[in-house]
């Protein structure tokens, strides 16, 4: 597994086998498992090029930052990119651009976060070729007066036939706050499948009552529900999973 560290607005990586770096552009030419960690928060545009026939699994992690970043992923013919992202930042302002550039490009994007103050996420998916697939799943928990806001824009021009678009965003509010989800699909082709779902709410009283009936107090119940909510949509190894669980345990024990 390769670890990429973003520090002082520079990309740092110990091994470059199958990974070529030019300024803030990363070209990935071989199948890779990558961990990307932010060590500071002001990031110029990062660009990742996923070469044809390459499969990349990337875990992106950030905590305790005021993160302001733009990241572009270009995914080429027959390439597959799976992104698992977890944030526990003070503030986040991020634009993520997913470009499905050539036929049979595929992106699977799973984002989870604990929002302490404010996060603004703008995710743009461009289906620039036929037979492309995008799956975008977002899950955020807001605490106290925090605000979580998502804009998800999927674009599919005429000619990008036989493509699949899926958006699913859920925000759980724990406190007195205001959050928004804006799911947008701009589709100019008939021969596609497109689905989206958006939910803002709280953990149900039925769930809390059931856990209380099993002897769990409110904090322990929220801990269990938060963990299930935040990691239920991701599949990563135990070492990376523990990084997420440690962040959840900071709030609910």
């Amino acid at each position: 597994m390769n670890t990429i560290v973003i520090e002082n607005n520079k990309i740092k990586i110990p091994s470059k086998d199958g990974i070529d770096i030019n300024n803030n552009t990363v070209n990935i030419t071989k199948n890779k498992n990558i961990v990307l960690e932010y060590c500071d928060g002001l990031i110029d545009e990062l660009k990742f090029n996923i070469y044809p026939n390459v499969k990349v699994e990337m875990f992106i992690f950030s905590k305790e930052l005021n993160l302001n970043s733009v990241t572009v992923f270009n995914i080429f013919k027959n390439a597959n990119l799976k992104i698992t992202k977890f944030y526990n930042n003070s503030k986040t302002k991020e634009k993520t651009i997913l470009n499905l550039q050539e036929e049979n490009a595929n992106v699977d994007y799973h984002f989870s976060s604990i929002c302490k103050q404010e996060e603004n996420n703008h995710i743009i998916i461009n289906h620039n070729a036929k037979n492309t697939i995008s799956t975008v799943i977002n899950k955020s928990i807001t605490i106290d007066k925090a605000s979580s806001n998502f804009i998800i824009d999927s674009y599919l021009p005429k000619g990008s036939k036989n493509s699949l678009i899926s958006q699913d965003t859920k925000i759980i509010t724990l406190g007195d706050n205001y959050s928004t989800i804006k799911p947008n699909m701009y589709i100019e082709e008939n021969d596609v499948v497109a689905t989206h779902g958006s939910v803002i709410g709280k953990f149900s009283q039925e769930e809390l009552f059931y856990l209380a009936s099993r002897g769990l107090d409110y904090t322990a119940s929220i801990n269990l529900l938060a963990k299930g909510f935040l990691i239920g949509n991701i599949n990563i190894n135990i070492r990376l999973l523990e990084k997420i669980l440690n962040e959840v345990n900071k709030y609910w024990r």
Side-chain angles (χ1 to χ4, degrees):
M1 181 173 290
N2 296 97
T3 299
I4 297 176
V5 175
I6 309 299
E7 189 172 17
N8 298 323
N9 206 25
K10 297 291 184 181
I11 299 175
K12 300 179 180 180
I13 182 170
S15 172
K16 295 186 180 180
D17 180 36
I19 301 178
D20 173 66
I21 299 176
N22 183 8
N23 294 323
N24 278 3
T25 297
V26 181
N27 299 308
I28 304 177
T29 59
K30 294 183 179 180
N31 294 350
K32 289 291 178 183
N33 290 323
I34 294 172
V35 174
L36 172 63
E37 288 202 39
Y38 290 101
C39 292
D40 50 33
L42 183 59
I43 312 298
D44 289 341
E45 182 176 290
L46 302 177
K47 183 180 293 184
F48 292 85
N49 294 320
I50 315 301
Y51 273 50
N53 305 304
V54 169
K55 181 177 181 180
V56 174
E57 294 190 11
M58 183 178 296
F59 177 72
I60 304 175
F61 184 78
S62 178
K63 65 176 183 177
E64 308 300 338
L65 296 178
N66 290 334
L67 182 65
N68 189 336
S69 69
V70 177
T71 310
V72 179
F73 296 90
N74 295 314
I75 308 152
F76 294 96
K77 187 173 183 178
N78 299 320
N80 189 312
L81 173 63
K82 180 180 179 180
I83 297 173
T84 301
K85 182 185 293 188
F86 180 83
Y87 287 174
N88 179 23
N89 287 323
S90 298
K91 291 185 178 180
T92 297
K93 182 180 180 181
E94 183 173 59
K95 179 183 286 187
T96 302
I97 303 172
L98 306 167
N99 294 321
L100 299 160
Q101 300 286 56
E102 296 177 340
E103 188 173 355
N104 296 319
N106 185 348
V107 64
D108 196 6
Y109 178 95
H110 295 250
F111 174 70
S112 295
S113 70
I114 298 173
C115 178
K116 295 186 289 188
Q117 294 184 34
E118 181 178 4
E119 64 178 16
N120 294 285
N121 294 287
H122 188 185
I123 304 164
I124 301 170
I125 311 101
N126 294 307
H127 286 255
N128 295 327
K130 63 182 180 180
N131 300 320
T132 51
I133 300 173
S134 67
T135 301
V136 175
I137 299 175
N138 302 299
K139 293 188 176 183
S140 180
I141 296 179
T142 64
I143 58 178
D144 299 327
K145 295 184 179 299
S147 173
S148 181
N149 304 288
F150 288 90
I151 301 173
I152 310 101
D153 292 330
S154 296
Y155 294 90
L156 193 144
K158 190 70 176 177
S160 297
K161 298 181 179 180
N162 300 318
S163 295
L164 281 73
I165 301 173
S166 177
Q167 298 180 11
D168 187 11
T169 303
K170 295 182 175 69
I171 300 173
I172 294 294
T173 59
L174 297 177
D176 182 16
N177 47 49
Y178 179 79
S179 297
T180 61
I181 304 171
K182 297 180 180 179
N184 302 308
M185 293 184 174
Y186 305 95
I187 299 173
E188 299 178 0
E189 176 62 59
N190 292 323
D191 192 8
V192 300
V193 175
T195 61
H196 73 82
S198 301
V199 175
I200 300 175
K202 299 181 180 294
F203 292 127
S204 73
Q205 290 300 314
E206 289 80 6
E207 291 172 317
L208 292 170
F209 178 80
Y210 174 82
L211 293 173
S213 71
R214 294 299 184 269
L216 296 180
D217 63 19
Y218 177 79
T219 300
S221 297
I222 293 297
N223 179 287
L224 189 62
L225 292 171
K227 287 176 179 176
F229 177 74
L230 292 172
I231 68 175
N233 67 324
I234 60 179
N235 182 19
I236 53 178
N237 66 45
I238 188 64
R239 182 177 67 85
L240 299 178
L241 185 61
E242 285 177 350
K243 290 174 73 72
I244 296 177
L245 297 180
N246 288 338
E247 295 303 308
V248 176
N249 286 334
K250 290 180 179 179
Y251 302 95
W252 308 284
R253 285 188 175 274

